[in-house]
Amino acid sequence: AQSVTQPDIHITVSEGASLELRCNYSYGATPYLFWYVQSPGQGLQLLLKYFSGDTLVQGIKGFEAEFKRSQSSFNLRKPSVHWSDAAEYFCAVVRMDSSYKLIFGSGTRLLVRP
Amino acid sequence: SQTIHQWPATLVQPVGSPLSLECTVEGTSNPNLYWYRQAAGRGLQLLFYSVGIGQISSEVPQNLSASRPQDRQFILSSKKLLLSDSGFYLCAWVPPRAGARYEQYFGPGTRLTVT
């Protein structure tokens, strides 16, 4: 069965520092992968997606993610974090049947130190 | 452009009272629609999804139900709320065209507190 693991529940970084949020997936074929961000009390916003092709994908707000098939990973990165990036981040994979359901990781809460 | 609305934004209801949350999508037709619940400090739990009018699939057995009376309207209901129904309810949609590649777009959510 498909699954997504985000091993870090919380991560704290200083403003201006680089960021990497980890995501591991379980799926036999090439997965469709997503990163979403959720600010407190808000819905989820799509940051970026990977379907095929170039394994380094660029998203909004200066985020990027790299798909590594050998490691079953899709880690999210940002070279310099801003205080406004403090939020919860969810990695997700599409369940490949007619439902198109997303399977979400448990999320990583990012705290940014001034 | 497409937009998704959820109503109400916040709701406080006593235990045992009924519930009706509404989700509507504009600017598209025949979308897949989804209801998620997010309990405090936890991830997203898929409750229901719908691939068309009157077609509802339940993911988790509970005292909630869903209906899709119109193409772009998705309703989440309960006859009697439980304390455990408190949470943040999110509606999402997927465009019907294959080129959209399954990405889901989320509404702003409804915060439900059962007292």
Side-chain angles (χ1 to χ4, degrees), chain B residues 5-11 20-24 35 108-110:
Chain B
H5 304 278
Q6 288 187 242
W7 184 90
T10 59
L11 189 60
S20 180
L21 303 181
E22 183 173 339
C23 170
T24 58
W35 276 113
T110 294

Side-chain angles (χ1 to χ4, degrees), chain A residues 93-95 97 99-103, chain B residues 34 46 49 59 104:
Chain A
V93 64
V94 175
R95 179 168 170 168
D97 59 24
S99 70
Y100 306 154
K101 291 183 284 190
L102 283 180
I103 300 168
Chain B
Y34 305 82
L46 179 62
Y49 70 93
E59 287 292 296
Q104 291 189 16

Side-chain angles (χ1 to χ4, degrees), chain B residues 4-105:
Chain B
I4 180 169
H5 304 278
Q6 288 187 242
W7 184 90
T10 59
L11 189 60
V12 181
Q13 292 283 94
V15 168
S17 63
L19 172 74
S20 180
L21 303 181
E22 183 173 339
C23 170
T24 58
V25 182
E26 295 179 354
T28 188
S29 59
N30 196 30
N32 278 20
L33 295 170
Y34 305 82
W35 276 113
Y36 292 88
R37 177 169 61 200
Q38 193 175 26
R42 305 184 67 175
L44 291 97
Q45 178 186 34
L46 179 62
L47 302 175
F48 301 94
Y49 70 93
S50 171
V51 299
I53 295 175
Q55 301 178 62
I56 309 294
S57 296
S58 174
E59 287 292 296
V60 182
Q62 55 206 319
N63 69 318
L64 298 173
S65 62
S67 62
R68 186 170 176 174
Q70 300 179 38
D71 181 43
R72 292 170 292 173
Q73 185 183 36
F74 204 21
I75 308 291
L76 182 69
S77 304
S78 174
K79 293 182 179 178
K80 289 186 177 182
L81 283 169
L82 306 172
L83 285 174
S84 58
D85 292 323
S86 293
F88 193 50
Y89 288 81
L90 289 160
C91 182
W93 69 283
V94 171
R97 63 189 186 283
R101 302 292 187 97
Y102 318 123
E103 55 204 72
Q104 291 189 16
Y105 298 94

Side-chain angles (χ1 to χ4, degrees), chain A residues 18-113:
Chain A
S18 63
L19 170 70
E20 183 168 26
L21 302 182
R22 296 185 290 166
C23 172
N24 293 99
Y25 67 89
S26 172
Y27 185 60
T30 299
Y32 289 177
L33 292 159
F34 304 87
W35 275 101
Y36 285 86
V37 61
Q38 184 182 31
S39 297
Q42 304 292 316
L44 275 69
Q45 182 181 22
L46 180 64
L47 280 176
L48 46 77
K49 58 196 176 190
Y50 173 78
F51 297 140
S52 64
D54 193 348
T55 56
L56 185 63
V57 294
Q58 302 297 321
I60 62 172
K61 304 185 180 187
F63 285 92
E64 66 179 25
E66 186 171 12
F67 172 66
K68 293 186 177 180
R69 183 187 301 277
S70 61
Q71 299 177 20
S72 297
S73 69
F74 188 55
N75 294 347
L76 182 71
R77 302 195 295 244
K78 186 169 184 178
S80 179
V81 170
H82 188 262
W83 64 266
S84 60
D85 294 322
E88 187 140 24
Y89 292 80
F90 292 94
C91 182
V93 64
V94 175
R95 179 168 170 168
M96 300 306 287
D97 59 24
S98 62
S99 70
Y100 306 154
K101 291 183 284 190
L102 283 180
I103 300 168
F104 283 91
S106 54
T108 297
R109 182 166 298 279
L110 174 65
L111 304 175
V112 180
R113 280 193 297 257

